[in-house]
Amino acid sequence: RLYAMELHRAVDQGEFLLYYQPQVNLNTGALVGAEALLRWHHPARGVLTPISFIAALESGPLAAVVGSWVLDEACAQAAYWRRHGATGFRIGVNLFEAQFSVGDLVQEVMEVLARHGLPAEALELEITENIALDNDEIVLETLRKLKDNGVGIAFDDFGTGYASLSLLKTYPITRIKVDRSFVQGMLDHKQDDSVVSATLDIAHGFDLHTIAEGIENKGQCRYLKQKCCEEGQGYLFGKPMPASQFASLIGMKM
Ligand code: G
Ligand code: G
Ligand code: NA
Ligand code: MN
């Protein structure tokens, strides 16, 4: 595909950037953190979302390199915001599967945290079921060590895969992210509602933290709060935005 060559250039020329989407405590409304989301500032096509390039990136040789960059950049940004007033701020970073098989991810994460002076608790790594299923021995051991070191592990897109429930018992998860497809349907379709309700029940049963994705209106927000979902993320609170814009959202200069 056309993108394979272009991705090399993007890495070399530093064409990737991160957007940040706010995460809030549903009870207090307080900003608790952000998810870092990859964007590609393509010289001809403008700012691209992962939908147009993530498959090419994941199937090529550059996923681990880009993943390392994302981790470093997001941690640097979070450390800066914490130093400038956003105390307790947490950053969510999505992992690529390739990051588990190239080099030592535990060592890399701990070095990045140390370099930026970011406590382990301020970082939450997001994994999907695909990552958990493919490589399970290495992934399991890596995640266990990271969790033992205090790093948060969020199970992304929960409920959309085939094995979400069995993975919960084995994997060292600290938070479930209720997938936005269920959140968006939950007030109109009882099937979606039952997935959301069951997911939150399970999370509570496993003593896991919870966040719901894709909250777009106050009705959804109110309903999730009533179901004791701790945190939320979605257009109601803010779209993914560049760091400069996120900084002004939290009343901070860059
Ligand atoms: O930003 P957007 O909401 O369009 O993201 C679409 C998808 O791309 C999400 O499912 C997210 O998990 C994935 N994604 C976004 N940024 C990153 C990243 O930095 N690393 C990895 N591995 N996946 C990402
Ligand atoms: O990691 P994940 O694939 O879940 O990435 C989140 C994706 O969801 C991003 O592409 C982001 O742009 C998108 N997103 C975040 N909040 C909302 C929302 O409230 N509504 C919709 N439709 N999409 C959202
Ligand atoms: Na994610
Ligand atoms: Mn998600």
Side-chain angles (χ1 to χ4, degrees):
R1 194 64 205 276
L2 174 69
Y3 273 167
M5 248 162 59
E6 288 202 291
L7 285 169
H8 280 279
R9 187 204 60 221
V11 169
D12 291 343
Q13 305 289 315
E15 292 172 5
F16 289 110
L17 70 161
L18 294 179
Y19 275 22
Y20 297 88
Q21 185 175 35
Q23 299 179 324
V24 306
N25 179 305
L26 291 181
N27 270 314
T28 65
L31 180 83
V32 291
E35 179 178 359
L37 293 158
L38 188 61
R39 297 291 183 268
W40 179 3
H41 192 171
H42 190 282
R45 290 165 223 226
V47 177
L48 303 178
T49 67
I51 229 174
S52 60
F53 63 86
I54 204 104
L57 187 57
E58 281 176 331
S59 63
L62 294 171
V65 177
V66 174
S68 290
W69 175 81
V70 170
L71 178 69
D72 187 65
E73 177 74 10
C75 288
Q77 188 61 72
Y80 179 88
W81 284 334
R82 286 173 67 102
R83 281 198 306 277
H84 291 79
T87 20
F89 188 86
R90 191 180 76 223
I91 189 75
V93 173
N94 293 282
L95 291 177
F96 291 107
E97 187 174 341
Q99 291 176 271
F100 288 89
S101 35
V102 177
D104 184 341
L105 184 61
V106 180
Q107 191 185 332
E108 179 184 346
V109 168
M110 299 322 287
E111 279 174 10
V112 166
L113 292 173
R115 178 149 29 90
H116 298 298
L118 194 67
E121 297 71 33
L123 175 63
E124 187 168 83
L125 298 172
E126 299 197 5
I127 61 154
T128 58
E129 178 173 311
N130 289 342
I131 290 182
L133 284 176
D134 282 358
N135 234 318
D136 55 280
E137 271 316 309
I138 300 170
V139 173
L140 198 53
E141 194 186 314
T142 305
L143 293 177
R144 258 196 217 113
K145 288 181 189 159
L146 287 165
K147 187 190 167 193
D148 287 346
N149 286 330
V151 175
I153 312 289
F155 197 159
D156 203 5
D157 308 334
F158 189 84
T160 59
Y162 299 103
S164 295
L165 294 182
S166 61
L167 289 176
L168 266 192
K169 260 189 79 173
T170 340
Y171 275 75
I173 305 294
T174 56
R175 185 184 308 275
I176 289 181
K177 297 194 80 172
V178 182
D179 190 68
R180 71 167 184 271
S181 58
F182 305 117
V183 171
Q184 276 162 10
M186 80 190 164
L187 297 182
D188 303 308
H189 306 286
K190 71 172 188 178
Q191 294 91 340
D192 292 315
D193 175 34
S194 86
V195 174
V196 171
S197 302
T199 300
L200 291 170
D201 280 350
I202 287 164
H204 299 141
F206 278 76
D207 295 320
L208 298 172
H209 295 293
T210 49
I211 186 166
E213 303 180 300
I215 302 177
E216 293 182 352
N217 60 58
K218 287 186 177 162
Q220 293 164 342
C221 182
R222 210 177 304 120
Y223 188 70
L224 288 160
K225 188 171 150 182
Q226 188 187 310
K227 296 251 167 199
C228 299
C229 182
E230 288 173 62
E231 297 181 2
Q233 181 179 341
Y235 296 168
L236 178 66
F237 312 111
K239 292 192 173 181
M241 61 189 94
S244 55
Q245 200 182 327
F246 196 91
S248 50
L249 175 89
I250 57 184
M252 202 176 291
K253 293 242 165 58
M254 286 295 290

